[in-house]
Amino acid sequence: DGAGNPEDGGVGDVGDGEDGGSDNGSGEGVESGDIYPVESIPVSRALWDGHFVAKVSSNDTNSEAELLLFSLNEWEVTRDGIISVVDGYAEADITDWRLATEEEMKNLAIYLGHSSNINSVNSVITSVGGSRLTASKGYFCADGSRYAMMGTEQSGNTVDGSKYRLRLVKTVTVKVL
């Protein structure tokens, strides 16, 4: 069934949305808000309305889903620089982006950053002018005190003054018309 295999998307709670799961990791940081109408539920590792979809969690009827969007932009900053990036970041019409929880970023780092996926992910992201993911680099998560290493299962505490990569996430709900 591919459970746990990054090559086919069976990692943790990150996948293609076809398993009907709705777990978003630790449950922290999920925004409520607008429901975006769609003709069909988007798939992960693809674009939806100009945004990169990292994860899809469908409901039982597959008529509504939560999308975890991964920012097209990437920054290399110290912990002190996180707030200036998060504050006011927007992609097209979507605002209020956040840092990923540690569980979200660890799962995304394995799923998106795995050697079998990173080239196709980068191809999608750069096709709309986004920044390439960087393999084997630490990405901020949680409150900025932790990092997850892209393409691996490694994570740890950040070090004051050290630079890490930063990608923001946004959870949105879509509903089939």
Side-chain angles (χ1 to χ4, degrees), residues 108-157:
L108 292 171
I110 295 167
Y111 179 59
L112 300 177
H114 188 271
S115 61
S116 65
N117 296 334
I118 196 163
N119 289 336
S120 63
V121 166
N122 280 332
S123 179
V124 171
I125 290 173
T126 59
S127 74
V128 291
S131 306
R132 298 174 65 80
L133 287 176
T134 308
S136 301
K137 294 290 182 176
Y139 282 75
F140 278 115
C141 56
D143 61 358
S145 63
R146 303 280 297 162
Y147 72 89
M149 190 72 71
M150 189 59 61
T152 73
E153 295 183 28
Q154 182 182 349
S155 64
N157 293 324

Side-chain angles (χ1 to χ4, degrees), residues 31-91:
E31 308 88 16
S32 62
D34 296 333
I35 295 177
Y36 295 85
V38 294
E39 291 183 17
S40 62
I41 299 295
V43 296
S44 64
R45 293 190 309 209
L47 294 174
W48 164 75
D49 202 26
H51 305 285
F52 183 77
V53 178
K55 173 190 166 191
V56 178
S57 298
S58 299
N59 66 12
D60 291 335
T61 65
N62 287 321
S63 64
E64 190 173 294
E66 273 192 354
L67 307 182
L68 182 65
L69 306 179
F70 206 45
S71 67
L72 295 173
N73 294 314
E74 178 173 304
W75 303 265
E76 186 174 42
V77 297
T78 63
R79 196 178 325 171
D80 293 338
I82 294 173
I83 292 175
S84 64
V85 172
V86 175
D87 283 352
Y89 180 72
E91 278 185 18

